[in-house]
Amino acid sequence: MSLEAVIREMQPSAADSMVESLIEAVRSDLADVPGLLATLTTLDPAELLRLARRLGWTVQTFIDFDLHQQRSRLRIEAALASAAVWDDTGSFWEAMRLQLGGCRPVLTAFEIVVRSRAADIHVPEGTPIWEREHLQDLQEADSEADWERLAERAHAFPKLPRPDLCVAQATRALALLDWPRLVHLADETKSWLLGHMLLSPLPLADAFRLATASVSGHVRFAALERIVRREKRRLSPEEETALKNLLLILAKDENDWPRWLAVCNRYPVRNPHMQAALGRALARSGMRALRDYVESISLHISGGEGRECVTRCLSVFRACAGQSKRHTLWREAFKRWQTWDFGRDEEQGLNTIARSELDYGVVGWLIEGEEQEPCLNLDQAFEQELSELDIQWHASVSTAISGFLDCCPDIKSWLMQGGNQHAMRTGFQDRPFMCRQLQATCSISGATIGMADKTRRTTPARCCLNAWSGGRAQCAEHRRMHNFSSCDCCL
């Protein structure tokens, strides 16, 4: 066999040249094997026997392996290169479980092969100074376990090195034949790139399981970075459960949990495929982890697709969590929503009814948490606020409109309380209940009086309050009185 010739004649050399020689030998010996495996059911008995004998060399090499055998390193690498061809359907190591499950010499050899590779970073001559600085910052973040900064710097490296076929086969073999040994290897991983190379040969669900079992933060980061950036797709039920278990372990670390959330949840719209797993993990997490989750989300006045992603996460959370945890998360969401106040501290003006990513949690608090206030008090408070807004001076029509819409956080909470009974009857419907009055836009483009670059709105916006409490007829009266072009809030 050409593989045997390589084992006998090849001189000790670097891993790269050794693997290249083994790949050439495998192509020479086994190039036809994938085609034969694809047509296995059509082969006659003689062809099956010849194919089995060829497979026998690989199997027997593993079974008879001796660490003290001459050229043992080359022999195990050659057998692994051969196994890569026979593992075309992914079932080779499963079939070898009985033969190799307790064979310590060959399992130790697999570990040696995995340890023998390292991620070598080479900076070519002429590389711009800013790229060198970026790499240096990435390496510093990696050594300091600063996951948020490391995730930001990792954006510049869309392509990462992958282990050669021998290391890939050794890793998959350990995953099936000696899981504790593979976990021990993961525990000793001290860099993100090494964690990536250890996980990349494994299916996604197994990568999550290894990161969950390991205590290495770098392996956990590699698993999270893989799903956040490199394998963005719909997860299978098995993968979703494995990701949920990983997130649950991460949430137990009170110091690092906010940093993990910064990696995967600052902008939920970027990771819609993670939301169900995150919701299931939150349902079993502690109270502080729930608060950190709420604080991790970057809020925007449009909400948009990010709002849909958070709604997906929180609807799964609501279905899985007990009352006390729901109460905690809803309360924290409502507090964050009130404090944020639609970016008022950032001087963000509003030109329409605004939404936010946390709307589902806000509605959850109003329905399941907050005690209901008498409707009369709400009417009076809202009317007073509108009256005060009416007598203020505004720099422009735009600021007048924005001032009116700034009242809408309060309007929204009150109207959602008004819709409480409907929401309870519909069982929350896995999405926030929003009164149609809130989602409509009321025209407030009434007459204005300009004076010294100031503009006072003379059209009273309390028409909306009257429409809410008094019905369509009263709203129609106000439209005639104040020349409103429309008032879509009356439905």
Side-chain angles (χ1 to χ4, degrees), residues 2 37 54 133 157 256 473:
S2 296
L37 292 175
R54 297 170 70 186
E133 291 175 346
F157 299 91
D256 268 359

Side-chain angles (χ1 to χ4, degrees), residues 32-33 36-37 40 43 46-56 86:
D32 60 331
V33 167
L36 293 173
L37 292 175
L40 195 62
L43 298 181
E47 291 174 320
L48 279 175
L49 181 59
R50 286 194 296 271
L51 187 63
R53 287 172 177 169
R54 297 170 70 186
L55 173 61
W86 294 103

Side-chain angles (χ1 to χ4, degrees), residues 359-374:
D359 281 350
Y360 193 97
V362 173
V363 176
W365 173 249
L366 296 171
I367 292 176
E368 297 185 344
E370 188 175 47
E371 295 183 2
Q372 304 300 304
E373 298 181 32

Side-chain angles (χ1 to χ4, degrees), residues 22 84 124 215 217 221 261 311 365 460:
L22 291 173
V215 297
F221 176 83
L261 288 168
T311 295
W365 173 249

Side-chain angles (χ1 to χ4, degrees), residues 182-307:
L182 186 61
V183 172
H184 180 68
L185 279 170
D187 289 343
E188 296 181 349
T189 301
K190 303 299 182 184
S191 77
W192 161 48
L193 283 181
L194 289 178
H196 160 77
M197 293 184 69
L198 184 64
L199 295 182
S200 59
L202 301 177
L204 188 59
D206 286 342
F208 290 149
R209 292 189 188 102
L210 184 57
T212 303
S214 174
V215 297
S216 170
H218 291 91
V219 170
R220 291 175 176 178
F221 176 83
L224 205 57
E225 197 266 350
R226 176 173 169 179
I227 186 63
V228 167
R229 301 244 165 79
R230 305 185 188 279
E231 209 159 335
K232 299 169 72 73
R233 57 174 175 78
R234 184 185 297 274
L235 302 181
S236 69
E238 180 187 13
E239 292 167 341
E240 181 183 304
T241 298
L243 176 58
K244 180 264 295 183
N245 292 335
L246 173 59
L247 293 171
L248 190 58
I249 290 295
L250 298 179
K252 292 181 179 180
D253 187 337
E254 294 183 350
N255 294 325
D256 268 359
W257 178 233
R259 294 193 289 174
W260 293 122
L261 288 168
V263 173
C264 67
N265 197 59
R266 174 160 293 168
Y267 305 103
V269 67
R270 297 177 181 175
N271 300 298
H273 55 301
M274 296 181 62
Q275 298 308 311
L278 182 55
R280 292 171 61 188
L282 290 172
R284 296 178 55 189
S285 298
M287 302 306 180
R288 180 169 174 177
L290 300 180
R291 181 170 65 251
D292 290 337
Y293 164 79
V294 171
E295 293 296 330
S296 72
I297 301 172
S298 178
L299 299 180
H300 307 85
I301 58 177
S302 60
E305 294 181 5
R307 179 175 181 266

Side-chain angles (χ1 to χ4, degrees), residues 419-431:
N420 195 351
Q421 289 184 344
H422 173 78
M424 297 301 284
R425 286 198 305 270
T426 58
F428 222 170
Q429 293 184 339
D430 286 334
R431 59 184 180 182

